Amino acid sequence: MKLLDSIHEAGAGAKCLITLAAVAAALLIGGVFISILHVNPLEAYYYLLIRPFRSFRSIGEISVKLVPILIVGLGVSFTFQAKLSNLGGEGQICLGAIGMTIVGISPFAKAIGPVWILFGLLAAAVFGALWAGIAGFFKTQFKASEIITTLLLNYIAVQFLSYCVYYPLRDSKGNIPQSAKVASTLPKLFEGSRMNAGILIALAGLLIYWIVIKKTSFGYRLRVLGGSIRAAAFGGISEKKYYLSAMLVSGAFAGIAGAVEIAGTQTRLLEGLAGSYGFDGVVAALLGMLHPAGVLVSSILLAALSSGAETMQVKTGVSSLFLNVLQALIVLFILLGFSFFGTAGKKKHPDKREVKK
């Protein structure tokens, strides 16, 4: 919570400085780890950071990974604005994917054609919102930590997805635990690339996030609630109502990310579909400092890292799991940066009681 306080209080310059410093520090420490493996860090970082942008096809791969990270990151940013922490992106992606699959393999989808995708997106948003709403309900009614409830709900959702692909949604024609293919998929935008219309959905989500947070009373009240619960109460803003609303919106975004993964990339429900997108979305929101442009840029960075990690492993022998280390370091240095910022702010503006002493 102190981290979110510092993000709300920091100016644009401080946010940019802390973000750049965190990334630079993480790359520097990561370079030391790579050197221990007797690998040239510059070569490893070339394959990790630069090589993914060298061809049109690889840019398409980045876009495929970008879409779920960006959508989840935007959803997480809604809760961060209200000083909540939605760490249940993985589970909400799973529920959204299940909702999309149920619609996509139904006779209804085959009957109406590609228009079914709109109904699938709606179902996915509802499934994701309801799953996040469970954590929101426990938060508002019993003051349960949303961090714990969303994390625990992830495990339930992953197991429920496994149950679905093994039993009710399993393709009877195959031997592998997976659903049948959905009736149709999102159109590809370019020949020779996996980039699909999911990127347009993600960008639409980015625009919606900016409008809601900056131009609507709902977004304003979320920001007031995130800035000060007392100020929100004084202004007549219901803490319970907006906490629950933020969780529902965040879950809906993550559910849509799962839907796009089904209709745009996987075409069928599979185990492990959510991957690390839930955690990546949290990192994107923090790295982007909750700003729409920042979340977009950080999502592109994380997608490029994910795309380049496998190439780095093949070319240099550095495990692709190094990416997890790098992301953890970035988050760690962001935490340290804002901790320092918060301490410096207190020294600059001491409490009145301390002044009296």
Side-chain angles (χ1 to χ4, degrees):
M1 292 302 178
K2 291 182 179 179
L3 170 63
L4 297 180
D5 284 335
S6 298
I7 289 177
H8 284 294
E9 293 170 5
K15 290 178 181 179
C16 289
L17 182 61
I18 290 172
T19 301
L20 293 175
V23 173
L27 291 174
L28 183 62
I29 300 299
V32 174
F33 291 155
I34 293 174
S35 299
I36 294 173
L37 300 175
H38 304 291
V39 175
N40 185 346
L42 294 179
E43 181 185 4
Y45 283 148
Y46 166 77
Y47 289 112
L48 185 65
L49 294 168
I50 300 175
R51 181 69 176 268
F53 295 97
R54 289 292 300 273
S55 69
F56 184 70
R57 182 177 179 180
S58 60
I59 290 176
E61 294 301 311
I62 291 175
S63 73
V64 168
K65 297 178 184 297
L66 164 68
V67 170
I69 295 174
L70 176 57
I71 297 176
V72 174
L74 293 170
V76 170
S77 296
F78 272 105
T79 55
F80 281 167
Q81 291 285 358
K83 209 186 295 182
L84 289 174
S85 300
N86 178 13
L87 303 184
E90 181 182 5
Q92 293 145 27
I93 289 172
C94 289
L95 266 292
I98 291 170
M100 189 71 168
T101 303
I102 290 173
V103 177
I105 64 176
S106 67
F108 170 75
K110 295 177 182 178
I112 66 173
V115 179
W116 78 267
I117 293 176
L118 297 177
F119 292 94
L121 289 169
L122 178 60
V126 171
F127 275 47
L130 290 176
W131 198 249
I134 296 173
F137 173 79
F138 280 103
K139 173 69 175 180
T140 56
Q141 299 302 316
F142 306 106
K143 296 185 178 180
S145 170
E146 75 281 4
I147 296 175
I148 294 174
T149 52
T150 51
L151 283 174
L152 293 178
L153 284 169
N154 282 338
Y155 293 102
I156 299 173
V158 169
Q159 295 303 317
F160 180 61
L161 186 148
S162 295
Y163 166 77
C164 288
V165 298
Y166 272 95
Y167 298 105
L169 299 180
R170 183 167 183 167
D171 185 3
S172 59
K173 298 178 181 178
N175 298 321
I176 301 173
Q178 60 185 13
S179 73
K181 284 189 176 182
V182 293
S184 54
T185 59
L186 291 169
K188 297 290 189 295
L189 296 184
F190 302 100
E191 289 292 334
S193 170
R194 289 210 300 162
M195 185 183 295
N196 58 65
I199 188 70
L200 302 180
I201 295 174
L203 293 176
L206 184 73
L207 180 61
I208 290 170
Y209 173 75
W210 179 78
I211 291 173
V212 170
I213 293 299
K214 298 294 184 181
K215 303 295 182 179
T216 68
S217 60
F218 176 76
Y220 170 75
R221 290 174 181 178
L222 280 184
R223 288 185 284 120
V224 171
L225 186 59
S228 171
I229 294 176
R230 287 185 178 181
F234 184 77
I237 299 172
S238 171
E239 180 183 344
K240 290 184 177 181
K241 176 183 176 181
Y242 284 93
Y243 274 172
L244 181 58
S245 298
M247 291 299 294
L248 290 172
V249 172
S250 181
F253 268 69
I256 290 173
V260 173
E261 191 68 6
I262 290 291
T265 306
Q266 304 294 345
T267 72
R268 61 175 83 224
L269 192 66
L270 301 162
E271 286 188 289
L273 174 138
S276 63
Y277 292 139
F279 176 72
D280 291 344
V282 174
V283 177
L286 290 175
L287 194 58
M289 301 298 165
L290 314 185
H291 190 281
V295 177
L296 174 61
V297 172
S298 58
S299 297
I300 293 172
L301 172 63
L302 292 172
L305 290 172
S306 179
S307 182
E310 294 180 4
T311 305
M312 179 185 68
Q313 178 171 306
V314 172
K315 296 293 185 179
T316 67
V318 178
S319 172
S320 59
L321 295 176
F322 171 73
L323 178 60
N324 296 333
V325 176
L326 203 59
Q327 289 180 343
L329 286 171
I330 290 173
V331 173
L332 174 62
F333 285 119
I334 287 177
L335 291 171
L336 290 174
F338 277 107
S339 176
F340 175 80
F341 174 84
T343 303
K346 287 180 180 179
K347 289 181 179 179
K348 190 174 181 179
H349 304 286
D351 188 80
K352 292 181 180 179
R353 288 172 295 180
E354 293 179 359
V355 173
K356 289 180 180 179
K357 291 179 181 179

